[in-house]
Amino acid sequence: LGRSAWVRSTMAALFLLLAILAQTSYCHKYYSPFDFLRFDRAKVELDATIKLVASPNTLEHSGDWVTVSWSGVSSPSAEDWIGVYTPPTNGNTVDPQKQAPVKFQYCRLSLTHFKTGSGSFKFHMVNMRAPYIFGLLRNGFKDPSLAATSNTVEFTNPNEPLQGHLALTQDPTEMMLIWVTKDAVKPQVRWSPLLSPDIRKKDANTTTYSAEDMCGPPATTVGYIDPGLLHYVVMNGLTPGMKYLYSFGDDKYGWSKQYTFTVPLPGPDITTKIVAYGAILTKLHTRIQTWTIDYKLGHEW
């Protein structure tokens, strides 16, 4: 295959893997709680006595934590919940009929909610290249009612290079890298053998997708979030068995920290471990499961 054809086939294979995982989840009836959120019945009934505060309001890096505190909730209920939204509607509010929260937590899991109508949670925040806002909603998922919104929370660099993923190619002297940013001028990857001053650079190709490219609701409606720009590049001239340093980014918008990878040795008997994981949205952690597979370098998709 030519280079462009190989890249297309590799990207297609990655999307196929995601589709298989999604189909597996469907077959086993692993539903997201958001499947039961009645957006069509959502309403806004702001209560001035409820205070909702997110702190800090500025985050340095993806993965930082935000503490969300609330008070003034009269007649606390087991159906009260905190939703995390991005981006805010009109700059500083939430439209519960047109936006799906990216995550949520029931207020009842705070020990003080029933006693005092107040409490707090910590949320692990991913840089989604746009501000966040938090909402306190009542009446559960069947008749959600927005009662209060918080201040906005932003990342200092919405263009932080994120989600770096490595992939093998059909050539044992290559490694493909994919990452995401909001904007870019000249996205590149830099790499070098460990402890070597010989640094190489290579410009990346860039693509993206829009809501029109998705299969249907909710991905095309309340669940759509701008994915940013997807960059991909193939590092070549690598030595199998050697360890490399690499970073990715843009001179204008910033660079990632340095990471490492070791080029696999070619051969039909090489065993590779993979990790597959999925967000379990009823809690604030993920469930991880591992498998060991036999991978033959040069396998054709």
Side-chain angles (χ1 to χ4, degrees):
L1 291 176
R3 170 63 58 200
S4 60
W6 178 86
V7 169
R8 288 196 300 270
S9 65
T10 300
M11 296 297 287
L14 291 174
F15 284 116
L16 176 61
L17 176 59
L18 292 175
I20 292 173
L21 291 174
Q23 181 65 26
T24 301
S25 297
Y26 174 80
C27 291
H28 289 279
K29 301 185 185 300
Y30 293 150
Y31 294 113
S32 162
F34 295 139
D35 290 337
F36 306 99
L37 181 55
R38 293 295 302 271
F39 299 98
D40 58 316
R41 298 171 68 169
K43 53 182 178 278
V44 177
E45 295 179 318
L46 296 178
D47 184 341
T49 65
I50 299 178
K51 304 300 180 185
L52 188 63
V53 179
S55 178
N57 57 14
T58 303
L59 303 176
E60 292 294 325
H61 300 291
S62 187
D64 287 351
W65 292 81
V66 166
T67 299
V68 179
S69 305
W70 66 93
S71 62
V73 178
S74 60
S75 303
S77 164
E79 297 300 300
D80 298 332
W81 56 281
I82 302 293
V84 186
Y85 295 85
T86 187
T89 303
N90 298 324
N92 59 358
T93 189
V94 171
D95 187 338
Q97 285 194 341
K98 296 180 180 179
Q99 286 180 279
V102 296
K103 60 176 69 176
F104 80 102
Q105 187 62 283
Y106 281 108
C107 296
R108 63 176 182 256
L109 297 181
S110 176
L111 298 178
T112 58
H113 182 62
F114 287 123
K115 295 180 181 179
T116 65
S118 63
S120 65
F121 288 135
K122 283 189 174 182
F123 285 93
H124 184 253
M125 307 302 293
V126 175
N127 189 342
M128 296 295 290
R129 303 164 296 280
Y132 280 97
I133 191 168
F134 299 81
L136 191 152
L137 295 96
R138 313 204 69 180
N139 304 325
F141 276 20
K142 290 184 178 180
D143 294 285
S145 174
L146 180 68
T149 56
S150 73
N151 52 291
T152 58
V153 174
E154 300 185 51
F155 284 88
T156 56
N157 182 13
N159 272 294
E160 180 183 4
L162 295 171
Q163 301 180 36
H165 289 77
L166 295 171
L168 297 173
T169 77
Q170 293 180 318
D171 187 331
T173 66
E174 293 180 341
M175 186 71 74
M176 186 178 189
L177 172 66
I178 305 170
W179 75 96
V180 177
T181 62
K182 179 180 180 180
D183 301 303
V185 174
K186 191 176 181 180
Q188 291 182 319
V189 60
R190 299 170 176 170
W191 76 95
S192 67
L194 191 65
L195 304 178
S196 170
D198 182 21
I199 299 177
R200 296 186 59 188
K201 299 180 182 180
K202 193 170 183 179
D203 294 345
N205 297 296
T206 299
T207 187
T208 190
Y209 60 89
S210 65
E212 289 72 25
D213 297 313
M214 309 304 287
C215 295
T220 56
T221 55
V222 296
Y224 179 76
I225 296 177
D226 189 324
L229 300 177
L230 288 71
H231 313 290
Y232 59 97
V233 62
V234 175
M235 294 174 277
N236 52 11
L238 307 176
T239 302
M242 183 171 287
K243 192 171 187 177
Y244 287 83
L245 291 169
Y246 72 100
S247 60
F248 47 92
D250 188 292
D251 284 338
K252 180 176 180 178
Y253 295 115
W255 289 81
S256 72
K257 66 180 182 180
Q258 282 194 321
Y259 298 94
T260 63
F261 67 85
T262 299
V263 183
L265 293 171
D269 300 321
I270 301 299
T271 297
T272 299
K273 290 185 178 180
I274 66 170
V275 176
Y277 64 94
I280 307 303
L281 297 177
T282 54
K283 295 187 178 180
L284 295 180
H285 60 80
T286 57
R287 181 178 298 170
I288 296 177
Q289 194 168 11
T290 63
W291 293 270
T292 298
I293 64 169
D294 291 326
Y295 179 84
K296 295 183 178 180
L297 200 61
H299 172 75
E300 294 190 6
W301 302 105

